[in-house]
Amino acid sequence: MFLFVCFSYYAYQIVYTPNVENKGEPVYVLIPKGATYEQVMDSIDSKKVIVDKLSLRFMAKLMDYPELVKPGRYELKNGLTNYHLIAKLRSGDQDPVKLTYTNVRLKKDLAQKLSGFINASPAEIDSLLNSPSFTRKLGFDTTTILTMFIPNTYEMYWTTPADEMMERMKKEYDNFWTKAREAKAKDVGLSKTEVSILASIVQAEQSIHADERPKIAGVYLNRLERNMALQADPTVVYANGDFGIRRVLNVHLKKDSPYNTYMYKGLPPGPINLPAISSLEAVLNPEETEYLYFCAKEDFSGYHAFATTMEEHLRNARRYQAALTQRKIMK
């Protein structure tokens, strides 16, 4: 009777006593495809959140988990019992990741970011982004494929293959482009891809104050309508491939590239970053003005001074240059 009571108590402890202590910090274990039982146990052990490792292994064997390992990303939640933890692992009840991507300019940068959310290498994702056949299947080419990625937060499983992740992003892109938005794009005279390209330029021009983006979008749309060169400094920076450039100089303007909007009229062939939804909305809902020019305000607020004529624009530019010179003297 004594032995039975002891065994029953230990069995109760193994099954029902909380065996995970993560001190309030989210802890996850990643189990790749093909992982063995021992590799899973080693991964869990390395997180240092299991109170009694022996009892966890005992429960795993009791529930035939060594033969039922499933890949995925699983949260080791505080207070989980051995039973509930093993049941979660053996059922493949993985926890989704929150996939986000911002501050991206190049395909290789996007591939690097996305690889941190799914079990795919940057090279694998980059290969898809640069595949003419795969991008064509999604309705883009290797230059415009970045316009498919609408920055937001998306839930996805870590085990999602790279190609399925791309197809999911295409669905999100289609969801964003409602009939109402398509009608607005038509009203401003742009295709969906062109909206994204212009939005990327607008965002690069005004990354601080989103409320000014509709006015900047209006300026560029006025220039396009008049067949004027956009002369957008951020496109020149992109063309030169040096994102450390703070002031665009004549030497930068000489770079022969379809992204140099001083040298070539119209929009560049692709986006220069992944524009936020606020930037896309700015292009779809531009502020209607007669402005054709803008430059930074002399108060260094991050806002711009707008002008309808070149003469007015030059006066604004001189005020800014004078303020910049005074600031340097003061320093």
Side-chain angles (χ1 to χ4, degrees), residues 219 222 226 287-293 307-309:
V219 171
N222 287 343
R226 290 163 175 76
E287 189 171 322
E288 294 185 13
T289 69
E290 295 300 317
Y291 294 136
L292 292 172
Y293 310 94
T308 56
T309 65

Side-chain angles (χ1 to χ4, degrees), residues 43-274:
S43 295
I44 294 175
D45 289 347
S46 70
K47 302 300 179 180
K48 302 186 184 304
V49 296
I50 302 300
V51 179
D52 185 347
K53 297 177 183 179
L54 184 62
S55 68
L56 178 65
R57 286 176 174 264
F58 183 82
M59 178 58 69
K61 294 288 181 68
L62 199 63
M63 297 176 68
D64 296 323
Y65 179 60
E67 290 76 42
L68 297 169
V69 172
K70 292 181 175 63
R73 172 182 179 270
Y74 303 92
E75 184 177 1
L76 305 181
K77 291 184 178 179
N78 192 58
L80 274 179
T81 65
N82 288 328
Y83 173 79
H84 287 109
L85 175 54
I86 298 303
K88 180 183 182 71
L89 295 175
R90 62 172 270 168
S91 68
D93 181 24
Q94 58 178 308
D95 297 282
V97 297
K98 293 188 181 297
L99 185 151
T100 62
Y101 41 83
T102 55
N103 301 321
V104 172
R105 295 188 183 97
L106 305 172
K107 283 184 283 186
K108 65 177 183 179
D109 298 332
L110 179 60
Q112 186 67 46
K113 286 205 172 191
L114 292 175
S115 70
F117 296 101
I118 62 173
N119 188 23
S121 68
E124 184 180 354
I125 298 172
D126 192 57
S127 176
L128 291 176
L129 292 171
N130 287 288
S131 167
S133 59
F134 186 76
T135 54
R136 190 184 309 115
K137 186 174 70 171
L138 295 173
F140 302 87
D141 58 39
T142 56
T143 301
T144 61
I145 186 62
L146 288 186
T147 65
M148 183 182 77
F149 293 84
I150 308 292
N152 210 331
T153 300
Y154 306 100
E155 282 199 350
M156 193 170 298
Y157 289 119
W158 180 70
T159 50
T160 304
D163 58 341
E164 290 184 17
M165 178 273 298
M166 295 273 282
E167 289 165 359
R168 165 72 184 282
M169 292 300 98
K170 176 58 164 60
K171 288 182 181 178
E172 297 295 345
Y173 173 86
D174 291 339
N175 290 337
F176 173 82
W177 280 105
T178 60
K179 289 184 177 180
R181 286 191 172 115
E182 287 185 348
K184 287 183 177 182
K186 187 176 181 181
D187 287 343
V188 297
L190 300 176
S191 67
K192 291 185 290 186
T193 296
E194 289 171 334
V195 168
S196 295
I197 294 172
L198 182 54
S200 73
I201 299 173
V202 169
Q203 179 164 296
E205 288 282 14
Q206 182 49 282
S207 59
I208 302 172
H209 304 296
D211 60 312
E212 194 183 60
R213 291 175 189 171
K215 186 179 289 187
I216 292 175
V219 171
Y220 282 132
L221 288 167
N222 287 343
R223 283 180 158 262
L224 288 171
E225 187 179 358
R226 290 163 175 76
N227 197 32
M228 296 171 62
L230 291 182
Q231 295 187 339
D233 287 359
T235 66
V236 177
V237 172
Y238 188 90
N240 279 268
D242 181 359
F243 301 112
I245 295 173
R246 291 291 174 262
R247 277 186 72 189
V248 172
L249 306 174
N250 286 332
V251 64
H252 303 130
L253 297 178
K254 294 177 181 178
K255 178 68 174 181
D256 190 356
S257 165
Y259 287 89
N260 184 344
T261 57
Y262 278 79
M263 188 173 290
Y264 295 98
K265 290 183 179 180
L267 293 167
I272 60 173
N273 57 54
L274 297 188

